């Protein structure tokens, strides 16, 4: 089997904050009626997390469950568990209209970490989102844009943010983030 | 700069996170309609100076379509509402009528 590579080959940049590609993880996009008990049980069972509310993400260990839209969830779990997870979803949701797809290699996942205010400043340079600690506390999940490309952001904790974008624009997202984190570009907006 | 609130995911964001889909509540004329009805459906728009109902898509967000009512003259947003309707909600029409005395939806259509 071919060796599966992440789009940025694990690249990282150290500036005002650290911008680093996260290691390859399994990602499953799941659409359907996300309000049912069956949907909640199968998704939380696979990620080992709680069920996220609107605009929220739940993280636990190596699992993550994100609220993408009123009818879409994103499951993140170890990549080798994806085939079994898809089987499980197909079985448990057999009688419910749904769509489940392995998107692990369709997306890039980047971590932006460092001093909390500096991380928020860096992201706010690129997205039309209020990243203040009050408006975007830990557990927040928001789909928006990063400069000119769509991206989804979340806050895992103080100074610890993650984002996903399409694989085809990974290089662009990484460059834009690195540029925004240039040591000469201190803003101090959220300081 | 418009600030819209998506009724599907609850996010308030400025317009670059959205994409406008043109005038709302058009009556569609498809196969077997007259040429004149079809032409009207395709090309004829209100283009008012003032209250306008539009379709918007939360393109860089939840991806859903919804409706918005705004003033083309002042860029004021009167409100947003779900896509699954053929006409603006009464509460929204009342609010617009309050802000724009004399306005009725019939006055533009
Ligand atoms: Zn939305």
């Amino acid at each position: 089997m071919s060796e599966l590579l992440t789009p940025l080959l694990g690249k990282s940049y150290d500036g005002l904050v650290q911008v680093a590609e996260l290691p390859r993880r399994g990602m499953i996009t799941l659409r359907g009626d996300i309000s049912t008990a069956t949907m909640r049980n199968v998704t939380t069972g696979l990620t080992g997390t709680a069920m996220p509310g609107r605009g929220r993400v739940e993280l636990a260990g190596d699992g993550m469950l994100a609220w993408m839209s009123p009818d879409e969830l994103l499951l993140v779990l170890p990549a080798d568990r994806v085939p079994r997870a898809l089987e499980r979803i197909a079985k448990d949701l057999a009688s419910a209209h749904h769509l489940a797809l392995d998107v692990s290699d369709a997306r890039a996942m980047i971590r932006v970490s460092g001093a909390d205010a500096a991380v928020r400043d860096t992201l706010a340079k690129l997205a039309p989102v209020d990243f203040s600690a009050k408006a975007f506390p830990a557990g927040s999940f928001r789909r928006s844009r990063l400069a000119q490309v769509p991206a989804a952001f979340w806050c895992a904790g103080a100074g610890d943010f993650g984002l996903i974008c399409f694989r085809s624009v990974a290089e662009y997202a990484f460059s834009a983030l690195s540029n925004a984190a240039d040591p000469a570009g201190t803003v101090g907006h959220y300081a | 700069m418009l600030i819209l609130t998506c009724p599907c995911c609850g996010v308030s964001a400025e317009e670059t996170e959205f994409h406008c889909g043109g005038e709302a509540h058009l009556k569609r004329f498809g196969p077997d309609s007259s040429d004149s009805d079809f032409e009207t459906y395709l090309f004829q728009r209100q283009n008012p100076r003032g209250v306008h109902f539009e379709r918007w898509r939360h393109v860089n967000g939840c991806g859903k379509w919804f409706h918005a009512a705004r003033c083309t003259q002042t860029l004021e947003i009167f409100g947003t509402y779900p896509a699954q309707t053929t006409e603006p909600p009464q509460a929204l029409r009342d609010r617009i009528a309050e802000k724009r005395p004399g306005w009725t939806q019939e006055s533009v259509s």
Side-chain angles (χ1 to χ4, degrees):
Chain A
M1 195 172 156
S2 316
E3 190 192 349
L4 294 168
L5 301 174
T6 56
L8 295 164
L9 307 174
K11 195 151 63 166
S12 72
Y13 170 83
D14 284 290
L16 292 172
V17 297
Q18 187 186 57
V19 180
E21 185 184 32
L22 284 162
R24 184 170 181 273
R25 294 169 85 186
M27 283 182 253
I28 296 171
T29 192
L30 179 57
R31 302 192 73 156
D33 182 352
I34 64 173
S35 67
T36 66
T38 318
M39 182 68 95
R40 185 176 62 243
N41 291 339
V42 68
T43 52
T44 57
L46 290 168
T47 56
T49 65
M51 187 72 181
R54 186 163 95 158
R56 305 281 299 172
V57 62
E58 292 290 344
L59 302 133
D62 49 17
M64 172 172 144
L65 188 55
W67 190 95
M68 296 287 278
S69 83
D71 60 0
E72 181 177 347
L73 294 168
L74 177 71
L75 288 74
V76 181
L77 65 177
D80 59 1
R81 296 223 305 257
V82 169
R84 290 284 298 277
L86 287 171
E87 281 171 26
R88 173 74 191 280
I89 291 168
K91 190 166 155 281
D92 288 11
L93 294 176
S95 58
H97 178 66
H98 74 282
L99 178 149
L101 190 68
D102 176 4
V103 293
S104 311
D105 297 299
R107 309 257 173 89
M109 210 179 231
I110 298 171
R111 180 171 184 239
V112 183
S113 59
D116 190 58
V119 172
R120 292 176 187 276
D121 274 347
T122 303
L123 296 174
K125 287 180 189 177
L126 300 167
V129 176
D130 181 355
F131 279 114
S132 66
K134 191 159 169 276
F136 209 86
S140 301
F141 186 90
R142 168 77 186 267
R143 291 170 74 182
S144 181
R145 65 179 173 86
L146 184 154
Q148 299 183 50
V149 297
F153 305 85
W154 65 92
C155 176
D160 185 4
F161 280 68
L163 67 97
I164 47 171
C165 63
F166 289 117
R167 185 187 187 99
S168 55
V169 295
E171 193 67 47
Y172 172 85
F174 185 85
S175 304
L177 285 162
S178 303
N179 187 46
D182 189 292
T186 312
V187 176
H189 179 62
Y190 291 126
Chain B
M1 186 66 74
L2 304 174
I3 297 194
L4 296 155
T5 299
C6 172
C8 303
C9 68
V11 160
S12 292
E14 45 96 334
E15 66 193 69
T16 63
E17 203 173 292
F18 301 89
H19 185 78
C20 186
E23 187 180 318
H25 309 306
L26 297 176
K27 182 172 178 350
R28 181 176 184 274
F29 289 94
D32 300 329
S33 60
S34 72
D35 282 357
S36 134
D37 280 345
F38 190 56
E39 186 211 11
T40 305
Y41 161 61
L42 279 186
F43 301 114
Q44 299 300 315
R45 296 294 180 266
Q46 305 286 349
N47 195 24
R49 185 178 67 174
V51 180
H52 195 218
F53 297 93
E54 294 168 338
R55 301 168 71 233
W56 282 81
R57 184 173 174 236
H58 197 181
V59 65
N60 282 325
C62 69
K64 304 296 181 200
W65 282 95
F66 61 94
H67 284 128
R70 70 177 180 104
C71 178
T72 59
Q73 202 171 3
T74 65
L75 302 189
E76 176 180 4
I77 305 283
F78 299 114
T80 55
Y81 51 104
Q84 293 75 17
T85 178
T86 52
E87 55 179 30
Q90 189 59 48
L92 178 62
R93 280 189 277 181
D94 291 345
R95 188 161 36 182
I96 296 170
E98 208 171 282
K99 291 184 166 188
R100 298 286 184 277
W103 175 84
T104 59
Q105 200 185 358
E106 292 65 38
S107 64
V108 282
S109 58

